[in-house]
Amino acid sequence: MELKLLRSNTYAGEKFRDKRNARPKRRISERREFCVNPFPKHGSGHGIYQYENKYFRYEGQWRKGVKHGQGKLQMADGSYYEGTFVDGEIDGKGIRYFSQNGSKYSGQFVRGEFHGRGTMTYADGSTYEGEWYRNRKHGYGIMKTVGSTEVYEGGYESNMKHGMGVMMYSKKIRLDGCRDGDRYEGMWMNDMREGKGILYGSDGSVYEGNFKGDSFNGKGLMHHISGLVYDGLWINGLPEVMASKLKIVFDNNSELDKKKKPTKDSSKKSIYQGIGFSVGVECHNESGRVIPDQGREIRLLVGFRYYPPVSDESKEDALFDMIEDDVEEKPIETPFGYSVVPYPITDQIHLTADDIPDDDDQDDQSKSPNDPNQENTAESGDESSEEKQESEMKEMEKEENIEEKEEEDKGNENEESADIEKENTVPQFPPLTTLRTKDGLCKWDDLHLTPAPPKYRPFERMAEEEKLKSQSKNRSRSKELSTPSSSHRPSISEIKDQGNRRRPSIKNASSHSSMFDKFRMKKQKALEEKFAKLGEYVLIVEDVTTPPFMNRQLQPDFLLMKLKQPPKEFKRENKKEHPGWDTSSHIKASSRVKEDELLARKHLSADD
């Protein structure tokens, strides 16, 4: 039987003789229940009570007119509490569900608040399991983020990480750059890393030291995965002093250059064939101060001027040049106005003073014994007629054309065999290795430019350009000689005078110059098979620390070098002393032998 109450309140519970067996008092729980009609005295048992505002509804156990024992307090928006009640208060173990955000708490309550040990499951699936104090995370707890590996285990205070704790990160946060898999063990304050701690990076880097404001601050030691080590002060996540650029310290090991006066162009350094040079590298900051970086990886390389592929469509090898350029390394931009491609350099060449070429190898045409200026120019002075001179010019032109064709044919036929021979004769040396800095410094000693590898494209293109230029010059000269000036026609007497002065030596001069050029080319090729080609090279030092320390790479440095042949003084000072040929002693010794023979003959004749 259900009893009707005033103001539409209803009571459904235990009855005795058609009367309610309980009398609710006007005592209100922490949720401020509202009841107008009092319950009977000494009422207890299980019952359902609908509040006047119809927002709350309780179903559960009662004792002496108040909620006591197990029960469920239902709200109109779908939220509820189900658990233990003590004297009308939510107290003990229970479950609290919030329909507004979908969170659900399961654990201990004190006077309606989360207090003690409990587990909160959030709407996204993340969970916190640990200690609570008056509705706040407080004490030891474990926070797990759903859908990631982010886990925190440690102390809390007022819902924030505080005290000793361990954090496994899953995403990048703030200035520290933490990534998925990073692990922090240390002190926390106000939800940020504060105090001493250790950060283990997912890439293998380790930082041990002080933290402040969730970043590296104070004294700390960083072992970077790249091999770089920094031990010092940190400010807002960065080292107090940090290198920004590299600086080359060059030494060509030549005492002669040190004695000479410094040139105006100090940016260009001289190196010599067969003489090793040294290159040091320093790590500088913006003010030029050496920064003692430990373990930064530095690479040294040399480049030669880059010649772009031929764009003339009439050339058959234009397409092949473009294909080879795609295969080769990309050109490196330099501050000298042109790009370079890598050229081999090594520290594994060991030469003696005898191997170093003399300065005399730079042949001078004027010092040749067959110099046309030293020859008698009057040998062919009788040929003074105009017809003979014209015929001589034509014959010379024909001979030059025939020689050029023969050389081109021979060059085309022997090109493949020459390349094969060069591959077999040119020695191959191991490449230069990278170095690690110590106190911000590193150094390579006894460096040499190796002979050019077979089919080194910059040299081939440079030779092609020089050949084209020489051909164009020869053509222009032949035109000038074959086409006399229309404004002035020389007389027969003038031609005779010119023939007496010049013509006799033209043929000899041309033959001599061609022979000299061939000799010089052969000698130069022999030297290039043993040493690098004379000319300008660019020295480059780069920071190749991988991955970059603090996501920063140092600015590279460049130095312009000119390869020369060593001077005579160096050869004389460093060459081993060998006993030279003494002509006078040889004459004296031979004369003594003759005297001994004469004396022996005299003794023999006297005996007879």
Side-chain angles (χ1 to χ4, degrees):
M1 180 179 179
E2 192 176 74
L3 300 179
K4 296 286 185 181
L5 300 178
L6 296 175
R7 298 185 183 180
S8 301
N9 290 333
T10 59
Y11 171 79
E14 298 180 359
K15 305 179 183 63
F16 179 74
R17 294 181 180 178
D18 297 334
K19 294 182 180 180
R20 289 178 294 176
N21 196 21
R23 184 177 180 180
K25 299 180 180 179
R26 292 193 62 84
R27 181 178 177 181
I28 303 172
S29 69
E30 76 285 353
R31 297 301 177 190
R32 291 293 178 182
E33 306 155 323
F34 181 83
C35 181
V36 176
N37 299 319
F39 290 104
K41 292 181 180 181
H42 309 296
S44 61
H46 183 274
I48 300 174
Y49 183 77
Q50 179 69 50
Y51 288 77
E52 182 182 15
N53 58 10
K54 297 184 179 180
Y55 185 79
F56 297 100
R57 181 178 181 273
Y58 173 76
E59 179 180 357
Q61 294 179 342
W62 297 77
R63 190 183 73 171
K64 294 181 180 182
V66 295
K67 300 184 289 294
H68 190 87
Q70 294 294 320
K72 182 176 183 179
L73 183 64
Q74 185 76 43
M75 289 75 163
D77 62 354
S79 302
Y80 66 87
Y81 167 79
E82 184 175 3
T84 304
F85 289 82
V86 176
D87 296 331
E89 297 288 346
I90 296 175
D91 205 328
K93 291 185 178 180
I95 298 173
R96 178 76 163 91
Y97 174 73
F98 299 90
S99 61
Q100 295 89 346
N101 54 23
S103 300
K104 188 177 182 179
Y105 172 83
S106 175
Q108 295 179 333
F109 290 82
V110 174
R111 297 184 65 82
E113 295 179 333
F114 310 149
H115 196 89
R117 189 161 186 83
T119 301
M120 174 70 80
T121 303
Y122 298 92
D124 62 353
S126 302
T127 60
Y128 169 78
E129 182 180 358
E131 298 177 355
W132 296 77
Y133 178 80
R134 302 189 68 176
N135 285 336
R136 294 175 181 271
K137 295 188 284 286
H138 193 93
Y140 176 81
I142 300 174
M143 182 71 187
K144 297 180 180 179
T145 304
V146 71
S148 67
T149 59
E150 186 168 304
V151 179
Y152 172 78
E153 182 177 356
Y156 278 90
E157 184 176 308
S158 298
N159 275 341
M160 293 187 292
K161 304 178 188 72
H162 193 89
M164 188 66 186
V166 178
M167 182 72 172
M168 179 69 75
Y169 291 97
S170 66
K171 60 182 180 179
K172 189 174 181 179
I173 62 168
R174 290 184 284 273
L175 296 176
D176 53 18
C178 290
R179 299 171 297 278
D180 188 10
D182 289 0
R183 178 185 174 88
Y184 171 75
E185 299 179 3
M187 299 301 295
W188 295 77
M189 182 180 290
N190 297 331
D191 220 21
M192 292 189 294
R193 293 170 296 186
E194 191 93 11
K196 292 185 178 181
I198 303 175
L199 179 65
Y200 300 93
S202 59
D203 60 353
S205 302
V206 179
Y207 170 83
E208 182 176 1
N210 290 324
F211 289 79
K212 186 177 181 181
D214 216 27
S215 60
F216 311 145
N217 267 287
K219 182 72 174 177
L221 173 63
M222 166 72 82
H223 290 272
H224 198 254
I225 184 60
S226 63
L228 192 146
V229 179
Y230 177 80
D231 187 7
L233 292 176
W234 296 74
I235 299 174
N236 297 328
L238 295 174
E240 179 190 23
V241 288
M242 192 170 178
S244 59
K245 58 185 178 181
L246 298 174
K247 181 66 176 177
I248 295 175
V249 180
F250 182 81
D251 183 8
N252 62 0
N253 298 327
S254 176
E255 296 295 333
L256 296 174
D257 282 356
K258 295 176 182 178
K259 294 177 182 178
K260 292 179 181 179
K261 295 181 180 179
T263 58
K264 294 181 180 179
D265 188 7
S266 60
S267 61
K268 185 186 293 186
K269 302 296 182 179
S270 298
I271 56 177
Y272 301 100
Q273 285 181 331
I275 303 175
F277 59 95
S278 301
V279 176
V281 180
E282 298 177 349
C283 301
H284 285 197
N285 61 3
E286 292 298 334
S287 61
R289 174 187 168 190
V290 178
I291 305 302
D293 282 349
Q294 306 289 343
R296 189 180 291 276
E297 189 175 7
I298 307 298
R299 179 176 67 181
L300 183 147
L301 54 92
V302 172
F304 191 81
R305 184 164 189 159
Y306 168 70
Y307 289 86
V310 181
S311 60
D312 189 1
E313 296 180 357
S314 62
K315 284 190 171 290
E316 297 180 357
D317 60 341
L319 179 60
F320 296 100
D321 287 342
M322 296 175 68
I323 293 172
E324 288 185 6
D325 280 347
D326 292 337
V327 177
E328 291 177 354
E329 296 185 38
K330 291 184 178 179
I332 303 170
E333 295 293 334
T334 68
F336 307 117
Y338 56 86
S339 302
V340 296
V341 290
Y343 186 87
I345 183 173
T346 185
D347 56 357
Q348 300 297 319
I349 297 179
H350 303 289
L351 299 174
T352 63
D354 294 329
D355 299 324
I356 300 173
D358 282 322
D359 192 35
D360 297 333
D361 292 334
Q362 298 177 355
D363 297 303
D364 189 357
Q365 186 173 351
S366 62
K367 296 179 183 179
S368 176
N370 296 324
D371 194 340
N373 296 326
Q374 298 176 4
E375 293 180 356
N376 186 7
T377 59
E379 291 179 359
S380 57
D382 297 335
E383 298 178 1
S384 59
S385 65
E386 183 177 1
E387 294 177 357
K388 288 182 179 181
Q389 291 179 5
E390 290 179 358
S391 62
E392 187 179 346
M393 289 175 60
K394 291 179 180 179
E395 287 177 2
M396 289 172 60
E397 290 178 3
K398 287 179 181 180
E399 289 178 359
E400 289 178 358
N401 294 330
I402 292 168
E403 288 178 359
E404 289 179 359
K405 288 180 181 180
E406 288 177 356
E407 288 179 358
E408 289 179 0
D409 294 337
K410 289 180 181 179
N412 294 329
E413 290 175 0
N414 299 328
E415 186 175 0
E416 296 180 359
S417 60
D419 291 338
I420 295 170
E421 290 178 0
K422 190 173 183 181
E423 290 178 3
N424 297 328
T425 56
V426 175
Q428 300 295 325
F429 297 94
L432 199 64
T433 59
T434 60
L435 293 182
R436 297 277 182 174
T437 59
K438 184 177 181 181
D439 295 330
L441 307 172
C442 65
K443 187 178 182 181
W444 288 267
D445 291 316
D446 198 20
L447 297 176
H448 293 266
L449 300 181
T450 69
K455 296 183 180 180
Y456 186 61
R457 296 302 298 169
F459 286 175
E460 290 183 358
R461 290 172 186 155
M462 186 172 65
E464 289 173 2
E465 289 188 0
E466 290 178 355
K467 188 176 180 181
L468 292 173
K469 289 180 181 178
S470 63
Q471 287 178 357
S472 63
K473 286 182 180 179
N474 291 333
R475 289 171 186 170
S476 62
R477 287 177 182 175
S478 61
K479 287 181 180 179
E480 289 177 0
L481 293 172
S482 60
T483 57
S485 176
S486 60
S487 60
H488 175 70
R489 179 179 291 274
S491 62
I492 295 173
S493 60
E494 290 177 354
I495 294 172
K496 287 180 180 180
D497 295 336
Q498 292 176 1
N500 292 328
R501 288 196 303 266
R502 286 178 157 178
R503 286 302 175 194
S505 61
I506 290 176
K507 188 172 182 179
N508 295 328
S510 61
S511 61
H512 170 77
S513 61
S514 61
M515 289 175 64
F516 179 81
D517 290 340
K518 289 179 181 179
F519 176 76
R520 185 172 56 83
M521 290 293 290
K522 287 180 180 180
K523 203 162 190 179
Q524 188 64 27
K525 285 182 180 179
L527 287 174
E528 289 177 3
E529 289 179 358
K530 193 173 182 180
F531 304 99
K533 186 181 181 68
L534 302 178
E536 287 187 352
Y537 296 83
V538 178
L539 182 68
I540 308 169
V541 290
E542 296 177 327
D543 175 18
V544 292
T545 308
T546 306
F549 179 63
M550 307 306 292
N551 296 323
R552 296 184 181 183
Q553 278 190 331
L554 303 190
Q555 182 181 349
D557 195 17
F558 301 85
L559 180 68
L560 191 61
M561 305 185 302
K562 188 169 184 179
L563 181 62
K564 303 177 181 179
Q565 287 187 340
K568 293 179 180 180
E569 291 82 355
F570 184 89
K571 184 73 175 181
R572 291 169 183 168
E573 290 178 3
N574 294 276
K575 194 170 183 179
K576 294 179 179 180
E577 294 182 0
H578 296 284
W581 179 266
D582 192 352
T583 306
S584 60
S585 61
H586 178 69
I587 294 170
K588 289 179 182 179
S590 60
S591 62
R592 287 174 185 172
V593 171
K594 290 180 180 180
E595 289 176 358
D596 293 339
E597 289 178 355
L598 292 172
L599 289 172
R601 289 175 183 175
K602 286 181 180 179
H603 286 298
L604 289 172
S605 61
D607 293 336
D608 293 338

